[in-house]
Amino acid sequence: MCAETISPHRHDVLLVIDVQNDFCPGGALAVPQGDAVVPVINRLAAGFEHVVVTQDWHTPGHESFASSHPGHDPFSEITVAYGRQTLWPDHCVQDTNGAALHAGLALPGAELIIRKGFRREIDSYSAFFENDRKTPTGLGGYLRERGFQRLFCVGLALDFCVRFSAEDARKQGFETIVVESACRGINLEGSLNAALQSMRQAGVTLMQDAVLA
Ligand code: VGL
Ligand code: ZN
């Protein structure tokens, strides 16, 4: 893997997406090697003045859970009010251990934790807009008001929450970089390749690996 050197400056933010127990091995919606991102993110975070964290934060009985739709299996799709929605195993239920950030994350200076997916009827992959693509989380306004210009996105899962967050960040006018070595994907029916292609098309910069200068 070819590592690029980065020197974060004061208008840069490291956006750490959904590094939660349920997305790590042993969790309810485990991403293969999900926990491998933890030391990579910790190393990167040490070089950033500004770190923002997201947390998937669902109600019990959330609409995105297969268990809320009798007869439908996890990883199948249904149509809901806002369009197609993949159904997931119950995960990241508010205030449970599965929803907690991975204990190995060392982000003492994180300035904001933004929670998403907390409305029972709407899922939210993106850190900016929920899956109806209309309901804002407020993150765009926060980042603009703070004068940030460039976002480095890392975390889980590369083909869902990282992808949609990065694409929305770009649409919101932020220069957006995804560091792949600090992400892992679920890869549901080719979703990993689709995500990489879609992010490139959206103007997101993909870095295979990054080390601090
Ligand atoms: C995620 C599926 C469901 C993610 C969250 O963090 O990528 N994926 N909820
Ligand atoms: Zn979720």
Side-chain angles (χ1 to χ4, degrees):
M1 220 188 276
C2 50
E4 287 185 59
T5 304
I6 55 171
S7 330
H9 56 69
R10 62 196 180 85
H11 297 299
D12 291 345
V13 173
L14 183 69
L15 183 62
V16 180
I17 298 164
D18 296 4
V19 184
Q20 293 166 266
N21 291 330
D22 270 344
F23 297 123
C24 291
L29 178 41
V31 178
Q33 304 178 330
D35 55 344
V37 304
V38 171
V40 185
I41 291 172
N42 288 347
R43 270 197 299 278
L44 283 177
F48 278 78
E49 201 174 315
H50 307 290
V51 177
V52 168
V53 176
T54 75
Q55 222 173 357
D56 211 36
W57 198 251
H58 298 310
T59 56
H62 194 262
E63 187 85 349
S64 74
F65 295 168
S67 63
S68 304
H69 305 272
H72 294 264
D73 293 328
F75 308 107
S76 65
E77 270 190 22
I78 57 162
T79 300
V80 295
Y82 49 79
R84 299 295 284 170
Q85 170 69 49
T86 300
L87 296 178
W88 304 104
D90 291 24
H91 66 280
C92 296
V93 174
Q94 297 168 358
D95 221 18
T96 61
N97 180 57
L101 297 173
H102 188 288
L105 273 183
L107 307 171
E111 294 168 2
L112 174 73
I113 298 178
I114 189 140
R115 289 170 168 170
K116 60 183 180 61
F118 52 75
R119 290 180 178 82
R120 203 195 58 79
E121 334 65 54
I122 320 182
D123 201 5
S124 188
Y125 295 152
S126 165
F128 292 88
F129 289 96
E130 302 195 10
N131 284 11
D132 62 357
R133 311 313 292 138
K134 286 201 271 273
T135 306
T137 63
L139 180 60
Y142 172 88
L143 295 173
R144 271 191 297 279
E145 190 163 0
R146 301 268 331 258
F148 296 129
Q149 295 165 358
R150 191 163 68 152
L151 297 188
F152 288 80
C153 302
V154 297
L156 306 171
L158 178 56
D159 39 354
F160 289 92
C161 290
V162 176
R163 169 194 170 174
F164 285 94
S165 297
E167 291 180 2
D168 279 351
R170 189 67 213 105
K171 280 186 209 141
Q172 295 270 298
F174 299 102
E175 189 182 340
T176 309
I177 298 109
V178 168
V179 182
E180 289 182 61
S181 61
C183 300
R184 289 295 183 279
I186 297 174
N187 205 16
L188 202 58
E189 295 173 17
S191 57
L192 208 40
N193 277 333
L196 295 172
Q197 195 181 332
S198 173
M199 285 192 285
R200 265 188 222 107
Q201 239 158 37
V204 172
T205 300
L206 297 175
M207 258 181 209
Q208 284 196 337
D209 194 12
V211 291
L212 296 165

